[in-house]
């Protein structure tokens, strides 16, 4: 078949121990976080800003991302299951045949991660006396790169893929079925890299640096508009979404889009 990519990569890079695997997803997730941090650090250095407490920023971001993403998946997508199995919410285990086994985190929601990071940033700013919108403008440049790496990890895991293409092109995720599908993980990853280029351009423009929050507003709008559109090509994550006009990912994107547009309108008056 012309234009078909057959994808059957083992998601495990190697086994650290007999029961603890190193997976592409986890490795790319970590690399994305570190690369995003490196970008923000370079911005600090370029502006001759103090690097004091910047390492603490990374810790806040990591904890906010993982905790928010995990809680988001549990309560946005599978609340009934996790309310009955609360121990599995924060611990990477699952009860199999009556015995708890290490399985890693089997669900992380990007919208929950976004909320988690925002809460973490509020706490960070209160502790270190940093302007909230000012730091979010800086983070808005690094976050799209982190998001792209996470989606590359989803691709390596053969998960969160798209609907059938109904054509002679697409990606066959052989670990699940033999149907050519939209590689929506790659759609999102490359969309995020494009957003990185756009917000970096805005940052380099002296005009848009004058009003704290404008760059972050642009980032929110572009990021979640892209997510909203790509969701039309993506398979629903949970069965309850099949009867919905728009799925949970799109519903959760709307508030972020509204906030982003409102920030841009508000801050554009000061540009």
């Amino acid at each position: 078949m012309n234009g078909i990519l057959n994808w059957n990569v083992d998601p495990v890079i190697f086994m650290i121990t007999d029961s603890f695997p190193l997976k592409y997803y986890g490795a790319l997730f970590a690399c994305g976080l570190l690369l995003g941090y490196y970008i923000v650090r370079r911005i600090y250095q370029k502006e001759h800003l103090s690097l004091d407490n910047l390492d603490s920023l990374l810790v806040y971001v990591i904890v906010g991302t993982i905790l928010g993403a995990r809680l988001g998946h549990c309560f946005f997508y599978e609340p009934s299951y996790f309310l009955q199995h609360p121990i599995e919410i924060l611990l990477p285990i699952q009860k199999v045949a009556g015995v708890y086994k290490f399985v890693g985190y089997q669900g992380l929601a990007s919208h929950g991660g976004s909320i988690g990071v925002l809460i973490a940033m509020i706490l960070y700013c209160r502790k270190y006396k940093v302007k909230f919108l000012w730091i979010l403008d800086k983070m808005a440049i690094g976050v799209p790169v982190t998001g792209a790496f996470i989606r590359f990890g989803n691709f390596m895991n053969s998960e969160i893929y798209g609907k059938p293409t109904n054509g002679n092109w697409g990606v066959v995720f052989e670990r699940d079925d033999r149907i050519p599908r939209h590689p929506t993980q790659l759609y999102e990853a490359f969309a995020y890299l494009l957003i990185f280029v756009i917000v970096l351009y805005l940052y380099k423009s002296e005009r848009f640096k004058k009003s704290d929050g404008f760059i972050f507003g642009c980032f929110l709008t572009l990021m979640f508009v892209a997510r909203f559109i790509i969701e039309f090509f993506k398979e629903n994550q949970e069965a309850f979404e099949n009867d919905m006009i728009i799925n949970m990912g799109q519903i959760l994107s709307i508030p972020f889009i509204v906030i982003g547009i409102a920030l841009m309108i508000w801050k554009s008056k000061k540009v």
Side-chain angles (χ1 to χ4, degrees):
M1 292 184 289
N2 184 36
I4 299 294
L5 172 64
N6 291 288
W7 190 252
N8 190 26
V9 173
D10 188 339
V12 176
I13 303 174
F14 60 83
M15 299 296 295
I16 298 174
T17 67
D18 291 341
S19 60
F20 192 84
L22 175 63
K23 295 185 177 182
Y24 284 104
Y25 179 79
L28 287 166
F29 197 120
C31 288
L33 283 170
L34 291 174
L35 185 54
Y37 168 76
Y38 173 77
I39 291 169
V40 175
R41 186 180 182 87
R42 289 286 295 172
I43 291 171
Y44 268 61
Q45 291 173 331
K46 182 180 178 180
E47 295 188 11
H48 305 291
L49 299 170
S50 173
L51 298 179
D52 293 346
N53 305 320
L54 193 57
D55 289 342
S56 296
L57 176 64
L58 177 61
V59 175
Y60 274 77
V61 170
I62 290 174
V63 173
T65 299
I66 296 176
L67 187 59
R70 182 58 180 164
L71 291 175
H73 173 81
C74 294
F75 295 117
F76 293 155
Y77 291 97
E78 297 184 85
S80 59
Y81 174 84
F82 284 103
L83 287 174
Q84 295 177 26
H85 304 82
I87 194 173
E88 296 179 22
I89 295 176
L90 297 180
L91 296 180
I93 59 176
Q94 190 173 48
K95 203 168 190 178
V96 180
V99 179
Y100 280 108
K101 294 184 178 180
F102 175 86
V103 295
Y105 289 120
Q106 299 297 304
L108 297 172
S110 57
H111 293 90
S114 299
I115 296 171
V117 168
L118 289 174
I119 294 173
M121 286 304 92
I122 292 173
L123 298 176
Y124 175 86
C125 291
R126 289 182 62 181
K127 181 173 182 178
Y128 295 106
K129 310 304 180 185
V130 178
K131 292 182 179 179
F132 184 59
L133 291 178
W134 180 87
I135 192 66
L136 289 181
D137 275 352
K138 305 295 185 289
M139 289 186 58
I141 302 169
V143 169
V145 175
T146 301
F149 270 68
I150 292 172
R151 286 300 178 242
F152 286 136
N154 293 135
F155 184 74
M156 298 301 291
N157 258 8
S158 297
E159 63 186 2
I160 315 183
Y161 45 65
K163 298 175 181 178
T165 58
N166 295 322
N168 61 350
W169 68 279
V171 176
V172 174
F173 294 96
E174 295 184 5
R175 290 181 170 271
D176 286 340
D177 55 38
R178 301 291 301 174
I179 303 171
R181 297 179 176 276
H182 288 280
T184 45
Q185 317 97 319
L186 299 184
Y187 295 173
E188 281 193 60
F190 290 119
Y192 295 164
L193 292 177
L194 177 59
I195 292 168
F196 163 70
V197 173
I198 294 172
V199 293
L200 182 61
Y201 169 78
L202 294 177
Y203 166 74
K204 290 184 175 181
S205 171
E206 291 298 324
R207 176 186 176 190
F208 295 104
K209 289 170 63 176
K210 295 178 181 178
S211 184
D212 294 344
F214 183 87
I215 293 174
F216 178 65
C218 180
F219 154 77
L220 276 184
T221 304
L222 293 175
M223 193 88 164
F224 288 98
V225 165
R227 176 69 186 269
F228 189 93
I229 294 172
I230 293 171
E231 287 290 329
F232 284 113
F233 301 94
K234 189 184 297 183
E235 287 283 14
N236 292 327
Q237 294 188 49
E238 301 295 335
F240 74 84
E241 296 177 283
N242 294 335
D243 297 325
M244 300 167 64
I245 298 175
I246 56 176
N247 65 24
M248 182 61 73
Q250 291 171 310
I251 291 172
L252 295 172
S253 293
I254 292 173
F256 289 99
I257 295 171
V258 172
I259 293 171
I261 293 174
L263 261 178
M264 291 177 67
I265 294 173
W266 175 34
K267 294 298 181 176
S268 64
K269 298 176 181 178
K270 301 179 181 181
V271 173

